[in-house]
Amino acid sequence: MREIFNRTQDSDSVDIEVDIGAEDFEGSNPWLFSVFVKSANISENSDSFDEFLETKESLIIALEHENKAKYVGTRINDGWHEFYFYAKNSKNLESVVAQMLKNSGYKYECSVVKDAKWDFYHKNLFPTELEFHNIESDKIIFLLEEEGDELSTPRDVEHYVSFDTATQKERFIQNALICGFEFKDDISSEEFEYGVALVKKHPVTNEDVRKVVEELYLLIKKDHGYYEGWSTILVAKDD
């Protein structure tokens, strides 16, 4: 499954697409193969963007043919689209790319290095725990917007948190109350007995939710807890 998210790295904003199921190939594909592609016309608002996406998918299909390589993700940074694959061996990979891109009009570069432990994938492509939460938040916000939600309207938003011990939970609640969250209810699950539902009033734009979740996440980790997500009501634009 491919997931898309944004990461700030060395003060630069990097858009990332990652195949989170690619780790199944980690033991058999030790070679990291990178393809960097750049064109002045590659942007989501350009007429040529769909053509570029078709080229990208054709390149993935060609390199994955007969399990030569596994596509693991893309990074978009400073105008470059960086495609990453892990291959069984380093042979003939660049020739496949040349056949696909030599007449495309795109500027491109290739490189291949040994990375048996998939360090690049884990460090530069795979989401952190917080980034996974941001990905899920973006999906919820997209669904709300599709239903006509006025995302900028503040409303009560419930946030769910779990802990291994009652002491961790109670200490966290006290810190969360100081930071403007309100206690709503104790919750539990088969996995965690000590959980809590908190409420905070805020808009549900991507920026607002990310700010609140990241603030709450720092409090949760101080007490070794687990953020379980959030929910809210629909606020229609004509309400």
Side-chain angles (χ1 to χ4, degrees), residues 56-67:
K56 169 189 170 181
E57 294 303 323
S58 296
L59 181 62
I60 292 172
I61 291 170
L63 285 167
E64 289 190 337
H65 182 60
E66 295 181 347
N67 295 320

Side-chain angles (χ1 to χ4, degrees), residues 2-201:
R2 298 184 192 179
E3 298 286 4
I4 298 173
F5 64 102
N6 179 271
R7 172 182 292 174
T8 300
Q9 195 164 21
D10 298 327
S11 300
D12 293 326
S13 178
V14 182
D15 293 320
I16 299 174
E17 176 185 80
V18 59
D19 184 340
I20 60 173
E23 290 176 300
D24 293 342
F25 293 80
E26 186 169 340
S28 59
N29 293 33
W31 293 92
L32 173 63
F33 182 54
S34 310
V35 183
F36 288 14
V37 181
K38 189 172 187 178
S39 170
N41 297 323
I42 302 177
S43 71
E44 291 189 13
N45 298 321
S46 68
D47 294 336
S48 60
F49 187 65
D50 287 342
E51 180 181 344
F52 173 73
L53 291 181
E54 290 179 5
T55 300
K56 169 189 170 181
E57 294 303 323
S58 296
L59 181 62
I60 292 172
I61 291 170
L63 285 167
E64 289 190 337
H65 182 60
E66 295 181 347
N67 295 320
K68 288 191 295 289
K70 171 61 182 174
Y71 170 73
V72 296
T74 296
R75 286 164 42 97
I76 305 174
N77 187 20
D78 195 26
W80 286 94
H81 290 246
E82 309 167 2
F83 306 143
Y84 295 99
F85 303 80
Y86 278 91
K88 289 185 176 181
N89 60 66
S90 59
K91 298 177 181 178
N92 302 321
L93 298 173
E94 293 190 24
S95 63
V96 173
V97 176
Q99 291 175 10
M100 299 291 300
L101 298 181
K102 64 181 178 181
N103 297 320
S104 66
Y106 302 128
K107 179 181 179 180
Y108 71 92
E109 302 173 2
C110 300
S111 68
V112 60
V113 296
K114 192 73 172 289
D115 184 17
K117 294 184 178 180
W118 283 39
D119 288 334
F120 184 89
Y121 174 79
H122 293 296
K123 180 180 179 181
N124 295 290
L125 293 173
F126 201 80
T128 64
E129 183 179 348
L130 179 56
E131 286 169 340
F132 264 121
H133 289 307
N134 290 336
I135 290 169
E136 293 305 311
S137 289
D138 289 346
K139 292 177 181 177
I140 295 172
I141 293 167
F142 174 79
L143 293 174
L144 288 171
E145 192 169 25
E146 287 287 291
E147 293 296 323
D149 191 288
E150 185 62 65
L151 302 177
S152 61
T153 300
R155 82 290 303 271
D156 285 345
V157 181
E158 294 185 16
H159 296 267
Y160 310 106
V161 188
S162 298
F163 295 90
D164 293 315
T165 71
T167 301
Q168 292 171 339
K169 171 185 168 181
E170 293 305 319
R171 186 167 54 229
F172 161 77
I173 291 174
Q174 294 306 312
N175 291 329
L177 294 179
I178 294 172
C179 292
F181 293 88
E182 297 179 10
F183 173 84
K184 180 175 182 179
D185 202 1
D186 292 311
I187 58 176
S188 63
S189 64
E190 291 184 4
E191 188 174 2
F192 297 106
E193 181 179 355
Y194 306 104
V196 60
L198 299 176
V199 176
K200 190 168 190 177
K201 192 169 187 176

